[in-house]
Amino acid sequence: MRKGWVLGFILLSFTALASAQIPTGGNIYAGYSYFNTNMVGTDRQGLNGWEGSLEGKFFPFVGIVADFSANYGDLKFPSPAGTCAIGVVCSPVSVNTHVDNLLFGPRVSVSVGPVRPFAEAMFGAAHINTNGFGSDTSFATAIGGGLDCRIFHLLAWRFEGDFIRTSLFNATQHNARFT
């Protein structure tokens, strides 16, 4: 049922973007992503991956952004109850994990010489797949910003940070993503 709502939200988002006027400008980004998370029953841990975004400018300072990231790695989860002998402290279980975020929303930016600071608020879906512990999808919100430093006309270096809130496995996570 939840996946149906997420799929419906994504399709409606694409429909809204398709019916909008043609953007007057924008940018495309692809690069490295570090995702710091606190999954259920774990301490803060990091995953590495990539992020891509597509922004269409509809006003000089406001654009609509579609952002996708995928992060991979091993997360350490507490051992399931009943798997250790009584009185023995179980070591955590390392689980291969894949976390995806698909987010849409407005981005406000202004160019000041060769730099362009921006702020964004996005909404969408997060999905996690763990080998052995299952998978889950939830609504996700992100707020953040960054700085594009122009190298030459068509190329810039991006520094970005986002606070991403998810509810995977029915527990709230407060994640940080750095690009």
Side-chain angles (χ1 to χ4, degrees):
M1 177 73 174
R2 187 182 304 169
K3 289 181 183 179
W5 281 104
V6 171
L7 181 60
F9 174 78
I10 292 169
L11 290 175
L12 287 174
S13 297
F14 282 129
T15 303
L17 290 174
S19 66
Q21 57 182 255
I22 297 173
T24 59
N27 65 65
I28 298 171
Y29 170 76
Y32 169 78
S33 171
Y34 174 77
F35 192 73
N36 186 274
T37 184
N38 64 334
M39 284 295 152
V40 180
T42 66
D43 293 328
R44 296 208 69 82
Q45 300 176 57
L47 301 171
N48 296 297
W50 58 272
E51 177 185 357
S53 68
L54 177 63
E55 178 186 10
K57 290 279 198 179
F58 292 93
F59 299 106
F61 301 106
V62 180
I64 300 294
V65 65
D67 181 283
F68 182 77
S69 65
N71 299 90
Y72 314 89
D74 291 332
L75 292 179
K76 292 179 176 39
F77 288 89
S79 295
T83 60
C84 295
I86 295 174
V88 176
V89 176
C90 291
S91 60
V93 176
S94 183
V95 178
N96 189 295
T97 305
H98 177 177
V99 178
D100 297 321
N101 291 293
L102 179 60
L103 304 163
F104 301 94
R107 178 182 287 166
V108 178
S109 63
V110 60
S111 292
V112 181
V115 298
R116 183 180 73 102
F118 61 88
E120 59 195 9
M122 299 180 289
F123 310 92
H127 178 78
I128 186 170
N129 186 7
T130 59
N131 293 338
F133 282 105
S135 65
D136 193 24
T137 302
S138 81
F139 181 73
T141 59
I143 189 164
L147 184 70
D148 290 335
C149 300
R150 188 173 59 230
I151 297 171
F152 60 87
H153 180 64
L154 293 176
L155 186 64
W157 190 268
R158 175 170 288 179
F159 302 95
E160 181 179 359
D162 294 306
F163 169 78
I164 300 175
R165 184 185 177 281
T166 61
S167 295
L168 297 165
F169 298 121
N170 297 318
T172 301
Q173 293 88 37
H174 300 282
N175 310 304
R177 180 180 65 185
F178 302 100
T179 301

